[in-house]
Amino acid sequence: MLEAGDPPRLIDVRTPGEFDAAHIPGSRNVPLDLRRAHGDVLRAHLDERAVLVCHSGRRAGQAGRVLADAGLPGLRVLAGGISAWQDAGAPPATGKPRWALERQVRLVAGSIVLGSVLTSARLPRAKWVAAGIGAGLTYAALSNTCAMGMLPSRLPYNRGPRTDLTTVLDALATGGR
């Protein structure tokens, strides 16, 4: 599709930090939280030829549902996300290396579970912290969301350059970042 005379617009819905680490050349960064808050405004700047991209396809699917509710039901999602892009041998544009948000969530959740289990040897009630993390992960799997990923996405490490609605709309209109 990208090699066609009129290629689709690639919209990357990951955090600015993730986008800066690696993205498909020519894609535009429109973080998922902006889509949730300003779906109607963004709809005016997109058409149904846009392809939504994230790390694995999950967040892009969420963004697609938000924009479908805002009146763009025909948006496509890159199955497997940028991971599939790289697995197919296509080169990404790269910047400052960062861990993917999903990897950060696994590190934090695993560390909390390990720490609470070890602590429960002295303080038996600490096991309930591990149970809470397990419940959160179970809910995330059943609902296909990742509430646990929302906190790390707001950390300075993941923010990258400031991405606000005005910047995004300008990039969509002019073909910039």
Side-chain angles (χ1 to χ4, degrees):
M1 290 175 64
L2 292 176
E3 294 173 359
D6 191 19
R9 180 176 279 180
L10 299 175
I11 306 298
D12 193 316
V13 301
R14 296 175 300 150
T15 66
E18 289 176 293
F19 180 83
D20 280 349
H23 59 272
I24 297 172
S27 62
R28 304 293 177 257
N29 185 221
V30 184
L32 183 58
D33 58 342
L34 281 179
R35 290 195 173 280
R36 287 185 180 130
H38 304 287
D40 292 335
V41 174
L42 291 168
R43 187 227 178 276
H45 295 275
L46 298 174
D47 59 33
E48 293 188 352
R49 292 181 345 86
V51 176
L52 303 175
V53 179
C54 68
H55 179 73
S56 66
R58 185 179 43 81
R59 284 181 278 172
Q62 291 173 356
R65 288 187 290 279
V66 168
L67 287 170
D69 291 345
L72 278 173
L75 292 175
R76 292 171 283 211
V77 172
L78 179 61
I82 192 166
S83 292
W85 172 269
Q86 291 173 301
D87 289 346
T94 58
K96 181 180 178 185
R98 290 183 171 94
W99 280 15
L101 194 59
E102 293 163 8
R103 184 177 181 191
Q104 293 176 51
V105 169
R106 289 192 303 265
L107 174 68
V108 171
S111 297
I112 292 171
V113 168
L114 177 62
S116 63
V117 168
L118 293 174
T119 301
S120 70
R122 288 206 179 252
L123 303 169
R125 291 187 178 183
K127 67 184 174 202
W128 294 109
V129 174
I133 296 296
L137 291 171
T138 301
Y139 174 78
L142 293 174
S143 65
N144 198 25
T145 61
C146 189
M148 294 176 77
M150 299 308 284
L151 180 61
S153 72
R154 288 173 169 62
L155 295 173
Y157 173 79
N158 290 316
R159 283 194 205 140
R162 182 171 162 82
T163 304
D164 59 14
L165 182 61
T166 304
T167 305
V168 167
L169 294 178
D170 186 45
L172 290 173
T174 64
R177 185 180 119 69

